[in-house]
């Protein structure tokens, strides 16, 4: 067999076969603390739609942090901080001249909503909102069922404080709340439910 002479003595690089990542390498995992983040971002998009259409004004409250250390060598930069306990709800705003305050919760269970998901300070905050004549409610998503409920805060507060059990059954949420219609935009159209429950 005769030897192959390549131009300028340069041999072509051997092609390395392309390996398709295995299923295990392609698998994405979601940390438990981020399970509700997609839900919140979809609600934020809904709120943006309402604002653009001039229908309502709702904002996401920023999570309060306590700054411990700041590095000033190249301009101020926070290098150490921790999240403070959130004392109020996720969202607040105005709709048809009424102050509105609401909390969004996402769970993976199928049969009930655990009350342990609601910090006591959120209940106290919503009680104050209602006492001042504002509107309060919860948006509760059962991720495994792909269902979102609109539930008035007064019902959740009563259940929480009387504690007939440690979680609200799915059937009770169906009875005392309403399923939120989902679409492309707005993703969760809860304004009709605000009208139905509070502004008739």
């Amino acid at each position: 067999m005769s030897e192959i002479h390549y131009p300028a003595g340069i041999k072509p690089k051997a092609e390395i076969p392309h390996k398709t990542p295995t299923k295990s390498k392609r698998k994405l995992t979601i940390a438990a603390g981020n399970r509700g983040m997609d839900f919140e971002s979809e609600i934020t998009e809904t709120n943006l739609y309402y604002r653009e259409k001039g229908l309502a004004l709702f904002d996401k409250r920023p999570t309060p942090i306590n700054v411990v250390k700041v590095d000033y060598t190249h301009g101020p930069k926070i290098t150490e901080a921790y999240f403070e306990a959130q004392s109020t709800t996720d969202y607040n705003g105005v709709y048809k001249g009424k102050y509105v305050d609401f909390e969004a919760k996402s769970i993976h269970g199928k049969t009930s909503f655990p009350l342990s998901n609601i910090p006591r300070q959120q209940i106290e905050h919503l009680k104050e909102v209602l006492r001042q004549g504002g509107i309060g409610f919860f948006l509760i998503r059962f991720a495994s069922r792909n269902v979102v409920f609109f539930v008035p805060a007064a019902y959740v507060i009563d259940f929480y404080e009387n504690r007939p059990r440690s979680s609200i059954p799915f059937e009770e949420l169906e009875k005392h709340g309403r399923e939120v219609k989902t679409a492309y935009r707005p993703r969760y159209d809860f304004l009709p439910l605000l009208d139905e429950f509070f502004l008739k």
Side-chain angles (χ1 to χ4, degrees):
M1 183 183 293
S2 61
E3 184 179 351
I4 300 175
H5 297 281
Y6 295 97
I10 300 173
K11 293 184 178 182
K13 292 181 180 178
E15 286 190 19
I16 300 171
H18 177 71
K19 289 185 178 179
T20 304
T22 61
K23 191 173 182 180
S24 60
K25 289 182 180 178
R26 286 179 292 178
K27 185 178 179 182
L28 298 175
T29 57
I30 299 173
N34 293 329
R35 286 175 183 165
M37 295 306 291
D38 287 341
F39 184 43
E40 286 191 359
S41 64
E42 289 173 332
I43 294 171
T44 299
E45 282 297 315
T46 297
N47 292 341
L48 181 60
Y49 173 85
Y50 289 154
R51 181 188 297 230
E52 288 172 354
K53 298 298 181 182
L55 299 173
L57 178 64
F58 302 122
D59 288 304
K60 173 85 169 73
R61 282 193 176 96
T63 303
I65 63 167
N66 195 324
V67 177
V68 178
K69 289 182 183 177
V70 180
D71 180 7
Y72 291 97
T73 54
H74 300 290
K77 179 182 177 182
I78 297 172
T79 57
E80 187 178 336
Y82 62 88
F83 291 109
E84 295 179 351
Q86 191 168 345
S87 59
T88 57
T89 50
D90 287 331
Y91 300 91
N92 69 335
V94 182
Y95 176 58
K96 292 185 177 178
K98 296 286 285 183
Y99 176 78
V100 178
D101 211 302
F102 65 99
E103 174 69 15
K105 301 289 186 186
S106 181
I107 63 166
H108 285 279
K110 291 183 177 182
T111 59
S112 64
F113 172 72
L115 293 176
S116 59
N117 285 354
I118 308 174
R120 180 75 204 184
Q121 63 265 24
Q122 289 182 343
I123 292 294
E124 294 301 325
H125 173 75
L126 284 166
K127 283 169 67 175
E128 284 300 315
V129 168
L130 300 184
R131 191 174 292 124
Q132 294 297 328
I135 293 171
F137 64 92
F138 285 81
L139 291 178
I140 300 174
R141 180 178 73 164
F142 285 79
S144 58
R145 288 178 175 244
N146 198 26
V147 172
V148 176
F149 285 114
F150 176 103
V151 187
Y155 171 74
V156 177
I157 291 168
D158 181 65
F159 199 101
Y160 187 99
E161 298 200 318
N162 292 310
R163 294 269 178 172
R165 51 182 289 173
S166 61
S167 61
I168 306 176
F170 186 89
E171 294 75 20
E172 288 293 303
L173 294 173
E174 283 184 306
K175 180 179 176 182
H176 295 279
R178 293 286 186 277
E179 186 175 343
V180 181
K181 290 183 179 178
T182 59
Y184 172 66
R185 203 157 190 257
R187 177 66 175 142
Y188 303 112
D189 191 11
F190 56 84
L191 290 188
L193 301 175
L194 270 172
D195 290 331
E196 177 184 344
F197 279 92
F198 302 107
L199 299 172
K200 275 188 174 179

